[in-house]
Amino acid sequence: MEVERVQALATVGLDALPAQFVRPSHERPENSRAIEGMTVPVISLSQPHHALVRTIHEACREWGFFLVTDHGIPPQLIRRLQEVGGEFFRLPQEEKEKYANDPSRGSFEGYGTKMTKNREEKVEWVDYFFHLMHPPCKVKHEVWPQHPPSYREVTEEYNKEILKVTEVLLELISEGLGLEKNALKATLGGDQMELEMKINLYPPCPQPQLALGVEPHTDMSAVTILVPNEVPGLQVWKDGSWFAVDYLADALFFHVGDQIEVLSNGKYKSVLHRSLVNKEKTRMSWAVFCTPPHEALIGPLPGLIDDHNPAKYSTKTYAEFRHRKFNKLPQ
């Protein structure tokens, strides 16, 4: 089945947005404006340990989201990651199509356009490239872009660095929950914990006030660590309002995902977020989803439940959770 790519649509110079991209009135950015200028938590990993555990605990509890600075990933590596991702999306359309995925057949890795329709039959203004980065035994390099030639080298280097940061943050979150520092990583599969890369491309949109790059959602991951380009668009939900997240050069954008909400028995909430688009500029983001293996059993951690705090979530495999989330079934 031939899929209409958003990037290809954008390049023909549309004056008006095709009907399938026009959101219902209550979802449109023009009718659901975000609060601007309020700073979301920004956390430096260079803080003293006890302060770091406390500030991350507060950010996870209050926001489910924070920006990470002084994380140790070289800025030049982040630039190179962004360059090779941008180069892929500048390839001729027929070249990109060689990597097309087919979610209808369970083939999620590769080049895609999210045309999964919601109840209102509306779709999102985004193309993407998705693939597994870790653990090595599950990586399929044949689905990674062959062009530019440096894509694999750069992405493998970034994988090593983001894995280190993920492990540090999972330890700090474990301690914030009053657990042993390796508690979360062990539950998420230890060395078999998976890292998935998703490069999102949001082309210029003729009527951005009517569209969404990604509709409001929570991530089914344990945590998501994202770097954007300089074009803003990410918004997070807190206390009944959307909050615009400003760009901060070289910072990592950290999201609490569904699995941490379950494991923490609701102490930390999976952050609801959405992505807006721009009339003149292309927005891009590089999201790394940290997930357990499909067979891993995920439920509230025993150390966080007792007679006064009963389990609020059922225990199930991550595969079962994914199936239910994809099909909008109750968990």
Side-chain angles (χ1 to χ4, degrees):
M1 183 187 74
E2 192 170 324
V3 177
E4 195 168 29
R5 304 300 182 189
V6 174
Q7 188 181 13
L9 263 179
T11 55
V12 301
L14 299 169
D15 293 322
L17 201 59
Q20 71 267 31
F21 293 99
V22 178
R23 308 303 299 192
S25 179
H26 68 281
E27 284 189 7
R28 295 174 193 170
E30 64 182 2
N31 297 330
S32 55
R33 294 191 183 280
I35 295 169
E36 305 270 354
M38 179 167 176
T39 308
V40 301
V42 179
I43 299 175
S44 166
L45 292 188
S46 66
Q47 291 180 71
H49 185 78
H50 66 281
L52 203 45
V53 171
R54 187 185 71 250
T55 53
I56 286 180
H57 169 70
E58 290 169 355
C60 288
R61 188 183 60 200
E62 300 299 323
W63 287 84
F65 179 84
F66 53 92
L67 270 55
V68 184
T69 61
D70 302 307
H71 44 71
I73 300 180
Q76 60 270 28
L77 178 57
I78 294 175
R79 296 289 89 74
R80 289 174 68 210
L81 181 79
Q82 293 173 320
E83 283 164 13
V84 294
E87 280 186 56
F88 171 78
F89 281 100
R90 287 192 293 273
L91 290 173
Q93 193 59 40
E94 60 271 21
E95 186 65 26
K96 294 197 288 278
E97 292 297 345
K98 293 175 184 175
Y99 300 93
N101 64 5
D102 188 356
S104 68
R105 297 182 176 216
S107 170
F108 293 97
E109 293 191 71
Y111 174 56
T113 295
K114 192 179 174 192
M115 288 295 184
T116 309
K117 294 188 176 182
N118 52 29
R119 288 190 188 93
E120 288 82 23
E121 298 288 295
K122 299 301 179 183
V123 292
E124 301 164 320
W125 191 259
V126 61
D127 292 334
Y128 66 85
F129 200 101
F130 176 81
H131 65 76
L132 205 66
M133 289 200 304
H134 183 84
C137 62
K138 292 186 180 175
V139 172
K140 301 174 188 169
H141 285 121
E142 64 272 17
V143 304
W144 291 27
Q146 303 300 306
H147 300 284
S150 55
Y151 182 90
R152 177 170 170 176
E153 176 199 344
V154 171
T155 304
E156 287 182 337
E157 186 62 31
Y158 187 70
N159 172 63
K160 286 179 195 165
E161 295 293 333
I162 208 75
L163 188 59
K164 290 182 211 166
V165 175
T166 302
E167 290 179 347
V168 166
L169 288 166
L170 287 174
E171 287 180 0
L172 291 163
I173 293 169
S174 296
E175 290 183 70
L177 289 166
L179 303 167
E180 294 292 323
K181 70 178 186 179
N182 70 338
L184 286 174
K185 183 185 173 186
T187 308
L188 293 169
D191 291 338
Q192 294 306 302
M193 181 175 73
E194 298 184 6
L195 296 184
E196 302 165 342
M197 166 65 80
K198 185 166 181 255
I199 309 171
N200 296 301
L201 178 106
Y202 309 95
C205 176
Q207 294 176 295
Q209 73 278 12
L210 303 179
L212 288 173
V214 176
E215 62 191 29
H217 70 288
T218 60
D219 291 346
M220 69 175 77
S221 58
V223 301
T224 302
I225 300 178
L226 176 147
V227 292
N229 69 353
E230 72 286 352
V231 180
L234 180 66
Q235 298 184 346
V236 298
W237 182 260
K238 181 181 187 293
D239 300 334
S241 296
W242 289 109
F243 288 82
V245 180
D246 292 335
Y247 172 70
L248 182 61
D250 302 320
L252 303 176
F253 290 35
F254 182 93
H255 301 65
V256 171
D258 296 344
Q259 306 313 303
I260 292 291
E261 178 172 331
V262 171
L263 290 166
S264 72
N265 202 32
K267 281 192 175 183
Y268 298 161
K269 287 286 187 282
S270 186
V271 63
L272 184 71
H273 55 288
R274 69 179 186 179
S275 183
L276 273 55
V277 291
N278 191 283
K279 188 164 187 174
E280 280 87 32
K281 297 177 181 176
T282 295
R283 182 167 180 266
M284 290 187 73
S285 65
W286 289 255
V288 175
F289 303 103
C290 169
T291 73
H294 284 206
E295 66 278 7
L297 279 172
I298 304 294
L301 288 166
L304 300 178
I305 54 177
D306 55 33
D307 292 342
H308 303 290
N309 297 288
K312 298 175 184 173
Y313 306 84
S314 65
T315 297
K316 60 178 76 72
T317 64
Y318 180 57
E320 174 70 8
F321 184 95
R322 274 171 53 97
H323 171 77
R324 290 176 174 274
K325 179 124 179 173
F326 274 131
N327 293 287
K328 297 182 169 59
L329 301 171
Q331 293 288 351

